[in-house]
Amino acid sequence: MIEVLVVAHAAATLVMVGVIWFVQVVHYPLMARVSASEFAAYEREHQNRTTFVVAPTMLIEAVAAAVLLVVAPPGLGRILPAAGIALLAVIWLSTFLVQVPLHTRLACGFDAGVHRKLVWSNWLRTVAWTGRGVLVLVMLRAMYGIVR
């Protein structure tokens, strides 16, 4: 059972690493190219579609990370899961205290300053998820020796 949890945790985290880099490098910058007349509808649709993709993945990642912290798998210890939870806290706090309010403001219409804050503040999540990606690979290596 713990093996399934570890793999689900790693998979969810690595999916989110890919998503966050795509959003940071491609999607968010391109938002500035949407016409002013279409932007509010575009932003609302962005929120709906993105939530459909990331909410279940983020929940799987968070639940699995919490369980791994409580039930330290053999050969893993608690330091890596604790570091992962700390990074998740940064990600979730940034998401709900920074990115969601900025998206809410953008849903009323494009604002270059708000958009700029969205792009720049999202680097925190990008770096934190990238760090989590490294951590899950280290965890897999520590537990199974499958990542070299």
Side-chain angles (χ1 to χ4, degrees), residues 12 15-16 19 46-63 88 92 95-96 125 129:
V15 165
M16 288 309 303
V19 168
H46 156 79
Q47 289 179 44
N48 290 336
R49 290 174 183 244
T50 299
T51 299
F52 178 76
V53 171
V54 303
T57 311
M58 287 177 70
L59 285 173
I60 291 166
E61 179 186 36
V63 169
L88 268 183
W92 281 66
T95 297
F96 292 104
R125 293 191 311 170
W129 253 311

Side-chain angles (χ1 to χ4, degrees), residues 38-89:
E38 297 290 324
F39 189 83
Y42 173 85
E43 172 61 26
R44 287 189 298 273
E45 190 67 19
H46 156 79
Q47 289 179 44
N48 290 336
R49 290 174 183 244
T50 299
T51 299
F52 178 76
V53 171
V54 303
T57 311
M58 287 177 70
L59 285 173
I60 291 166
E61 179 186 36
V63 169
V67 173
L68 289 176
L69 183 63
V70 173
V71 181
L76 189 56
R78 297 204 190 275
I79 293 173
L80 294 175
I85 288 287
L87 289 171
L88 268 183

